[in-house]
């Protein structure tokens, strides 16, 4: 039974696999806090979070009553170990936890992940693994092995459900056995192995989350099986590296590890960059089409840079070209209509998707907000108006 196999992959990582939906991050941190309190370490409240983290991490830490301290990252996107050591040293008496995203939000498998976790443990803290990038790990590695105490699975990142199930960090958490007694309990539904006297309390009204949405993750796991899930992970990593390789001569690849690179979930972690996550879902032909498009755009940039194309009126800056623009009687541009409409061989008349309008100045719109607040009278019905005037 493939579903059981998945469970057996996950089981050694965690003594308990408690399904907890919505607020996974909060639940994990609250369990850490309850555990520390039980040991008489109420004063431990500092949560270290790398600057590369997703904004939900500090938000959840604050909600769990922790004090957030940011850890610098180096130019390769890795946690700055020297800064981490300094922070740990400074806060060792009050260190509660560190939240780590692995591979990081910059897509890099941090090589010192074990050292980072060891350092936190040696100084009395617990490690929370943000599971948003589990689709680079499922079937290949187990967060518990490299040091995580609470490991989270973002179901809308790795297990096929849409966003909107409730966040931050919608999905189950798994904890090592020492944290199990502190997991959430429920006043109506008895939760196996959770002792209400040590439990952190109740977090959600429906202890196992939304029955409308979770069958999707269940069916995905069941249909993929353990081999299929591992294969999906391998393909996701391969796709990211393939794309980086095809684009590396034309675009600057900002972060990559020495052994592997995985583009994480869609985000905008560094201003002026585009993060691309191909995932396992696209086939090679689609990846190639996407790379061809990016390389074509780079060529259009080079044509401007090297003086072959006008700096103002060029295919790049005038794109997208709508049907109205291409078919207009006036065409006074220094490039052909054909190139404007079909810049690459795979864009053919039969399959071309025509944009309905040309470029709009989004930034202008963002910087010049216009508020339309019609007065209440604008809502008056004609019937009321008639009555008033009669
Ligand atoms: C998506 C994501 C989260 C969780 O955010 P949601 O609001 O629950 O989607 C946390 N960390 C990382 C790195 C993420 O990519």
């Amino acid at each position: 039974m493939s579903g059981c196999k998945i469970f057996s992959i996950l089981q050694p990582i965690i003594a308990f696999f408690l399904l907890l939906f919505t607020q996974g991050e909060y639940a994990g941190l609250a369990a850490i806090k309850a555990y520390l309190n039980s040991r008489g370490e109420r004063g431990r409240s500092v949560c270290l979070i790398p600057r590369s983290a997703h904004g939900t991490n500090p938000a959840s830490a604050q909600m769990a009553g922790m004090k957030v301290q940011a850890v610098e990252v180096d130019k390769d996107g890795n946690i700055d170990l020297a800064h981490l050591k300094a922070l740990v040293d400074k806060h060792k008496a009050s260190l509660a936890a560190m939240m780590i995203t692995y591979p990081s939000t910059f897509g890099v498998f941090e090589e010192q992940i074990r050292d980072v976790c060891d350092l936190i443990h040696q100084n009395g803290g617990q490690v929370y693994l943000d599971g948003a990038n589990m689709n680079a790990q499922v079937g290949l590695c187990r967060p518990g092995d490299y040091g995580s105490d609470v490991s989270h699975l973002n179901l809308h990142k790795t297990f096929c459900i849409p966003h909107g199930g409730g966040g931050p960090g919608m999905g189950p958490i798994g904890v090592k056995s020492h944290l199990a007694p502190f997991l959430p309990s429920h006043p109506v539904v008895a939760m196996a192995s959770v002792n209400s006297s040590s439990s952190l309390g109740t977090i959600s009204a429906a202890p196992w989350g939304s029955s409308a949405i979770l069958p999707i993750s269940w069916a995905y796991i069941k249909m993929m099986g353990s081999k299929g899930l591992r294969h999906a992970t391998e393909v996701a990593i391969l796709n990211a590296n393939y794309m980086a390789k095809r684009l590396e001569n034309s675009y600057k690849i900002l972060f990559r590890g020495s052994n592997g690179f995985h583009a994480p979930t869609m985000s905008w972690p560094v201003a002026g960059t585009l993060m691309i996550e191909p995932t396992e879902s696209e086939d090679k032909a689609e990846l190639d089409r996407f790379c061809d498009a990016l390389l074509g755009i780079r060529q259009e940039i080079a044509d401007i840079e090297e003086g072959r194309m006008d700096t103002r009126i060029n295919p790049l800056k005038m794109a997208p070209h709508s049907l109205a623009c291409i078919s207009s009687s006036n065409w006074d541009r220094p490039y052909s209509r054909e190139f404007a409409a079909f810049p690459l061989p795979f864009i053919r008349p039969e399959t071309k998707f025509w944009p309905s309008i040309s470029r709009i100045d989004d930034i202008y719109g963002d910087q010049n907000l216009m508020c339309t607040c019609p007065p209440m009278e604008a809502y008056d019905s004609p019937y009321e108006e008639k009555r008033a005037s009669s």
Side-chain angles (χ1 to χ4, degrees):
M1 296 267 288
S2 52
C4 294
K5 272 203 203 122
I6 297 310
F7 194 78
S8 66
I9 294 173
L10 294 169
Q11 216 173 18
I13 317 173
I14 46 182
F16 284 92
F17 191 65
L18 182 71
L19 296 191
L20 252 186
F21 295 91
T22 79
Q23 313 251 26
E25 294 185 16
Y26 172 76
L29 294 172
I32 289 175
K33 203 76 188 80
Y35 163 76
L36 293 172
N37 290 352
S38 79
R39 293 162 54 95
E41 302 191 304
R42 286 190 173 273
R44 291 195 174 271
S45 60
V46 169
C47 183
L48 303 179
I49 304 179
R51 278 205 194 281
S52 52
H54 191 275
T56 53
N57 287 186
S60 297
Q62 297 239 13
M63 277 170 45
M66 293 186 183
K67 190 170 148 241
V68 175
Q69 292 284 297
V71 184
E72 299 297 338
V73 292
D74 65 20
K75 62 168 182 23
D76 301 319
N78 294 309
I79 291 170
D80 179 338
L81 263 192
H83 186 239
L84 176 67
K85 283 187 182 136
L87 272 184
V88 166
D89 210 42
K90 181 170 165 206
H91 296 290
K92 61 171 169 258
S94 54
L95 181 64
M98 175 155 185
M99 298 183 86
I100 298 178
T101 306
Y102 183 78
S104 78
T105 303
F106 292 160
V108 174
F109 288 92
E110 315 225 16
E111 284 171 24
Q112 348 91 327
I113 184 80
R114 279 173 198 268
D115 302 335
V116 168
C117 295
D118 288 349
L119 184 68
I120 300 302
H121 290 138
Q122 282 153 15
N123 289 278
Q126 296 281 298
V127 175
Y128 175 96
L129 179 100
D130 179 321
N133 299 335
M134 275 304 289
N135 66 332
Q137 294 187 79
V138 174
L140 294 182
C141 56
R142 307 185 301 181
D145 290 345
Y146 54 78
S148 161
D149 298 292
V150 179
S151 306
H152 174 238
L153 301 177
N154 258 307
L155 297 186
H156 57 285
K157 301 295 174 61
T158 311
F159 296 96
C160 294
I161 61 163
H163 277 73
M170 193 282 186
I173 53 168
V175 300
K176 284 195 173 150
S177 56
H178 64 284
L179 292 173
F182 306 95
L183 287 170
S185 55
H186 197 273
V188 179
V189 183
M191 310 290 284
S193 346
V194 178
N195 180 339
S196 57
S197 65
S198 54
S199 164
L200 63 88
T202 302
I203 285 187
S204 54
W208 293 290
S210 162
S211 57
I213 206 168
L214 297 175
I216 299 172
S217 296
W218 179 82
Y220 170 70
I221 290 171
K222 219 45 188 159
M223 288 189 287
M224 292 291 277
S226 55
K227 273 206 200 107
L229 286 177
R230 174 197 293 244
H231 187 63
T233 305
E234 290 163 349
V235 172
I237 295 172
L238 185 66
N239 282 356
N241 284 284
Y242 173 72
M243 209 177 246
K245 197 81 202 147
R246 271 210 67 191
L247 298 175
E248 72 186 355
N249 292 328
S250 300
Y251 288 95
K252 192 170 159 221
I253 309 292
L254 202 55
F255 300 120
R256 81 199 317 176
S258 57
N259 295 319
F261 167 86
H262 174 258
T265 52
M266 176 63 199
S267 175
W268 321 262
V270 182
T273 67
L274 176 66
M275 182 162 77
I276 303 161
E277 180 183 28
T279 78
E280 73 282 4
S281 315
E282 307 301 339
D283 60 24
K284 180 165 177 296
E286 192 64 8
L287 295 184
D288 280 333
R289 270 179 359 120
F290 186 73
C291 290
D292 288 343
L294 284 174
L295 294 171
I297 290 168
R298 186 65 191 85
Q299 186 55 48
E300 290 176 18
I301 295 171
D303 287 344
I304 302 168
E305 284 172 338
E306 290 156 23
R308 285 186 295 276
M309 192 49 77
D310 185 74
T311 55
R312 237 169 27 85
I313 310 290
N314 55 58
L316 188 72
K317 290 187 181 167
M318 304 313 279
H321 299 86
S322 66
L323 188 55
C325 152
I326 298 287
S327 58
S328 138
S329 319
N330 301 320
W331 183 262
D332 52 4
R333 301 192 182 170
Y335 53 94
S336 71
R337 283 185 159 112
E338 189 182 5
F339 184 81
F342 310 109
L344 284 172
F346 67 78
I347 306 167
R348 290 183 304 271
E350 316 85 67
T351 52
K352 165 95 180 170
F353 173 81
W354 290 99
S356 52
I357 49 163
S358 297
R359 183 170 301 206
I360 46 174
D361 189 347
D362 274 335
I363 295 177
Y364 181 88
D366 290 347
Q367 292 176 346
N368 296 276
L369 287 182
M370 263 173 273
C371 177
T372 52
C373 306
M376 271 319 285
E377 298 85 74
Y379 296 92
D380 285 346
S381 69
Y383 170 75
E384 294 295 330
E385 267 162 37
K386 248 191 226 136
R387 236 172 36 145
S389 62
S390 65

